[in-house]
Amino acid sequence: MGSRRSFIRKSLLGAIAAGIGSRFGYAESIFENSLMTDPDVIRPTVISTWFHGLEANEAAWKIMQNGGAALDAVEKGVNVSEADPTVNSVGYGGLPDASGHVTLDACIMGPDGNAGSVAYLQHILHPVSVARLVMDKTPHVMISGDGALKFALDNGFKKTNLLTPEARKAWKNWKKSGSPYAPGANWENHDTIGLLAIDHKGNLAGACTTSGMAFKHPGRIGDSPIIGAGLFVDNKVGAATATGEGEAVMKTLGCFLVVEFMRNGMSPQKACEAAVARLLETIHIHENLQVGYVAVNKAGETGAFSLKPGFQYALFQDNENKLLDAPYLME
Ligand code: SD4
């Protein structure tokens, strides 16, 4: 069945390629390369960033085990971290910006290439679910700030105080210290959650949600809500998500890059390594810079890689959920 489907798709794309390719002078091989054959065996997979990914993976896996779609699984999976006050870089309990406000970035992308995102959203416990509604109910991809809050409230979300006493205390201490804002790698080993899944039909989806860098400049938006930077899904090829200093990921459009490397034949592991290597080629690497990628391809092969040590990821496959240390480029 897989090969029949891929034959039909190949024929269709071949026909399109012949038309467009000859009109614009592209080589047909461009279209051929972008065509992944369906794997004969579908391998349900959930992969996510950091230790708290373990619990998120459980929730996502449960949905898929009951026949649910990857798109629902990734949303419900990251909802777990968003609601967990002990995760100090996502949703409730997230560390605030320099002015003491918790501001959230999130996005979601499905197997049909559709995507939704919110940026600089305040007071809403589940920003990724607002991003899902942006995708499902509007002609837009991204809504930010007050407009995103109004959209959420208009759609039944409730205002919540996201600043926990612990996060407020950490912010007060930071203010007292007089330290200038500086990005810190591997903040206490808790970080943004990005989660990717393949469901029993072989469809891919991904979600990413964060309160961003602790004590960031008010108004700052990171990579996590930007499709192609913090998350990218191509249902023919694979998916990738990022954690770490968003500015570096944005400057290299990291997750789009990882997926494109896979499209051109790299394994997910090699693709993550090549995207991290791209940082060295193109941007300034400061002492505390950390960036990590996880990726999965259509066949359920996975990869993870970071610039510096300390990045962990959670992988649920073959009924086993485990936390793994990502290999890294430099000490
Ligand atoms: C951001 N990428 O806002 C997020 C935060 C993060 O490790 O993942 N920190 O830049």
Side-chain angles (χ1 to χ4, degrees):
M1 173 142 135
S3 55
R4 185 171 167 269
R5 253 203 322 252
S6 71
F7 170 74
I8 292 169
R9 203 188 288 156
K10 254 185 187 154
S11 315
L12 270 175
L13 279 181
I16 294 166
I20 300 178
S22 54
R23 205 146 28 106
F24 295 103
Y26 296 142
E28 277 191 31
S29 63
I30 291 173
F31 294 88
E32 282 299 316
N33 279 346
S34 70
L35 194 65
M36 301 287 286
T37 48
D38 292 340
D40 290 335
V41 178
I42 289 167
R43 192 167 186 206
T45 301
V46 182
I47 185 168
S48 61
T49 54
W50 302 107
F51 172 75
H52 52 264
L54 282 172
E55 231 188 306
N57 282 4
E58 293 280 348
W61 190 263
K62 210 161 139 195
I63 286 174
M64 299 203 309
Q65 218 169 19
N66 294 327
L71 186 59
D72 295 322
V74 297
E75 179 191 348
K76 297 298 175 224
V78 301
N79 279 168
V80 173
S81 306
E82 287 177 333
D84 184 343
T86 67
V87 179
N88 64 11
S89 53
V90 183
Y92 179 56
L95 291 167
D97 68 11
S99 61
H101 297 107
V102 180
T103 70
L104 307 174
D105 295 339
C107 73
I108 189 161
M109 191 164 186
D112 57 356
N114 212 355
S117 146
V118 288
Y120 196 63
L121 174 63
Q122 297 184 57
H123 314 302
I124 298 293
L125 183 61
H126 290 304
V128 80
S129 299
V130 184
R132 172 90 190 254
L133 270 191
V134 172
M135 175 174 97
D136 288 344
K137 292 210 161 154
T138 80
H140 308 306
V141 170
M142 188 177 213
I143 302 187
S144 70
D146 289 346
L149 177 60
K150 182 175 183 319
F151 174 76
L153 297 176
D154 286 350
N155 281 283
F157 288 83
K158 298 277 172 271
K159 257 188 164 179
T160 310
N161 176 17
L162 300 173
L163 187 65
T164 58
E166 292 74 21
R168 188 177 152 77
K169 196 166 155 201
W171 170 65
K172 287 258 174 206
N173 287 341
W174 171 75
K175 273 192 71 127
K176 230 187 286 165
S177 75
S179 319
Y181 167 73
N186 301 329
W187 247 85
E188 294 184 3
N189 235 8
H190 300 288
D191 236 317
T192 294
I193 184 148
L195 186 148
L196 314 169
I198 304 177
D199 63 26
H200 287 87
K201 290 185 175 160
N203 283 324
L204 278 109
C208 185
T209 175
T210 190
S211 53
M213 307 297 279
F215 318 132
K216 61 197 175 185
H217 194 288
R220 181 264 188 188
I221 291 167
D223 60 313
S224 304
I226 296 176
I227 300 299
L231 175 77
F232 197 70
V233 177
D234 183 325
N235 201 42
K236 293 192 291 299
V237 178
T241 190
T243 180
E245 196 178 311
E247 283 71 8
V249 177
M250 289 152 87
K251 285 173 196 167
T252 52
L253 206 56
C255 289
F256 183 71
L257 189 61
V258 172
V259 173
E260 288 307 293
F261 281 141
M262 291 194 283
R263 185 194 304 282
N264 287 312
M266 283 188 196
S267 67
Q269 183 58 38
K270 286 277 170 250
C272 290
E273 290 172 17
V276 169
R278 179 64 63 86
L279 297 168
L280 297 191
E281 289 167 29
T282 54
I283 65 163
H284 168 67
I285 307 291
H286 66 79
E287 199 189 341
N288 283 323
L289 181 66
Q290 174 65 311
V291 168
Y293 294 109
V294 298
V296 62
N297 68 12
K298 190 77 179 163
E301 293 167 326
T302 60
F305 198 68
S306 58
L307 182 64
K308 303 266 177 66
F311 174 42
Q312 294 186 301
Y313 65 104
L315 176 63
F316 206 142
Q317 249 178 355
D318 305 326
N319 283 315
E320 198 187 355
N321 194 17
K322 44 189 181 192
L323 187 68
L324 297 159
D325 291 320
Y328 53 89
L329 188 64
M330 54 168 65
E331 289 295 337

